[in-house]
Amino acid sequence: MKQIFSRIKVFFSFLLTLGFICSLCCCNTKDFSSNTSISNYSSSNHSNSNILKPVEKSSTVDTYTITWVNYDNSILEIDYDVPYGTMPKYDGNTPVREDTSSISFTWIGWTPEVSQVVSDATYKAEFSTKARTFTVTWLNYDNSVLEIDNNVEYGTFPSYDGEIPTRLETEEYIYSWVGWTPYVVSVTSDATYVATFEQSVQKYSITWKYNEKIIKIDEFIEYGTSLDSIRPRDTISETDMGTITTLLGWDCDGDNEIDDLSQIIVNRNMTI
């Protein structure tokens, strides 16, 4: 009987030991499978091929350098460590290119066209070109505006399309439009032209009368001429009466008084 109990005791001890070992194996297997799959293990060497070691996957993303340059290859901006697959972005001031005397430049983008980052890249500013335009102003002699032509292209010849400039005549002069000052040339900048007039002395007609009869007409007498230098002779032959009359003088202003012709100049059409 004692032998039976002894054997039963040994059997239960064996079962308890076996259960403990099984529980440890299950825990180790669970931890192993939750952290590392079997595919992440490899043989360390030929001498120990039965031992598997984990191989970690790389989480590093490749980065590149993006360079932005102006039309003349001067550097505008450099972006370092730009991740693969992202769209690069220029954050600097708007690129500019100085206009020449004949051409203006406008920034329109980059060449080549900006695309997702796959390697180091350089983008150059691209500009559109357009003939420069200017303003041509046409003035009269007194600086009053006759015409303004906007957006006249560089190198073209400006044209005045308005009415012929005029200038009021005076008692002394009449004016004829002859062109522009300065001389009109092809457009290279904003320009202003002023109407130029040629002046000439006014000419008048002087009619001399005696007893309501015309005895002499002087035409095209220039302004400023002394009446004394063109007056008729002092004697008049009246053929219808057969007499000769000696004149005492001339009344120029109708006040029935003799005027000193040496003090009077031609300044209008006159009847004396």
Side-chain angles (χ1 to χ4, degrees), residues 4-268:
I4 293 173
F5 281 111
S6 177
R7 290 179 180 179
I8 292 172
K9 184 178 180 181
V10 170
F11 178 75
F12 277 105
S13 297
F14 172 78
L15 290 177
L16 288 173
T17 302
L18 182 60
F20 177 75
I21 293 173
C22 289
S23 64
L24 288 177
C25 291
C26 290
C27 290
N28 289 337
T29 302
K30 183 178 179 181
D31 292 340
F32 178 82
S33 61
S34 64
N35 293 326
T36 309
S37 65
I38 192 65
S39 61
N40 290 335
Y41 283 76
S42 64
S43 299
S44 61
N45 52 51
H46 294 291
S47 63
N48 195 11
S49 59
N50 294 326
I51 299 178
L52 299 178
K53 293 184 178 180
V55 178
E56 296 182 356
K57 291 184 178 178
S58 174
S59 61
T60 303
V61 177
D62 292 335
T63 60
Y64 298 94
T65 298
I66 306 300
T67 305
W68 311 85
V69 299
N70 208 348
Y71 73 97
D72 57 357
N73 292 320
S74 59
I75 294 176
L76 299 171
E77 177 178 302
I78 299 178
D79 297 329
Y80 297 100
D81 300 325
V82 182
Y84 176 92
T86 59
M87 184 66 72
K89 182 181 178 183
Y90 174 73
D91 303 308
N93 295 327
T94 300
V96 294
R97 181 171 182 175
E98 187 175 353
D99 293 344
T100 66
S101 60
S102 60
I103 299 175
S104 61
F105 298 91
T106 302
W107 177 66
I108 58 174
W110 303 97
T111 184
E113 185 178 353
V114 178
S115 60
Q116 289 183 334
V117 174
V118 294
S119 62
D120 292 340
T122 297
Y123 295 102
K124 178 180 285 190
E126 187 174 10
F127 295 83
S128 64
T129 61
K130 181 182 178 181
R132 290 189 65 187
T133 59
F134 300 93
T135 299
V136 178
T137 304
W138 310 86
L139 303 178
N140 208 349
Y141 73 97
D142 57 356
N143 290 326
S144 59
V145 177
L146 298 171
E147 178 177 301
I148 297 178
D149 297 330
N150 297 307
N151 301 319
V152 183
E153 286 193 359
Y154 178 94
T156 59
F157 196 85
S159 174
Y160 174 74
D161 305 309
E163 296 181 354
I164 294 176
T166 59
R167 181 173 180 175
L168 292 177
E169 61 184 46
T170 66
E171 184 179 86
E172 184 176 1
Y173 296 108
I174 57 175
Y175 299 93
S176 301
W177 176 65
V178 293
W180 303 96
T181 299
Y183 187 75
V184 179
V185 296
S186 297
V187 173
T188 58
S189 62
D190 292 337
T192 298
Y193 296 101
V194 180
T196 302
F197 292 85
E198 182 180 74
Q199 70 177 24
S200 55
V201 177
Q202 286 271 27
K203 293 180 174 59
Y204 297 100
S205 174
I206 310 299
T207 301
W208 304 84
K209 297 176 70 174
Y210 171 70
N211 286 341
E212 300 303 320
K213 293 182 179 181
I214 297 174
I215 61 174
K216 183 184 179 186
I217 297 177
D218 294 312
E219 295 182 324
F220 309 111
I221 305 303
E222 289 188 351
Y223 172 92
T225 300
S226 170
L227 285 177
D228 190 56
S229 66
I230 60 172
R231 69 178 183 176
R233 61 183 184 273
D234 292 335
T235 59
I236 298 175
S237 175
E238 299 182 82
T239 57
D240 57 341
M241 300 177 63
T243 60
I244 296 177
T245 301
T246 299
L247 301 177
L248 298 178
W250 297 91
D251 176 17
C252 296
D253 52 17
D255 60 358
N256 295 319
E257 295 183 3
I258 295 175
D259 296 312
D260 183 359
L261 298 186
S262 65
Q263 301 300 313
I264 301 175
I265 63 171
V266 175
N267 58 9
R268 64 187 185 280

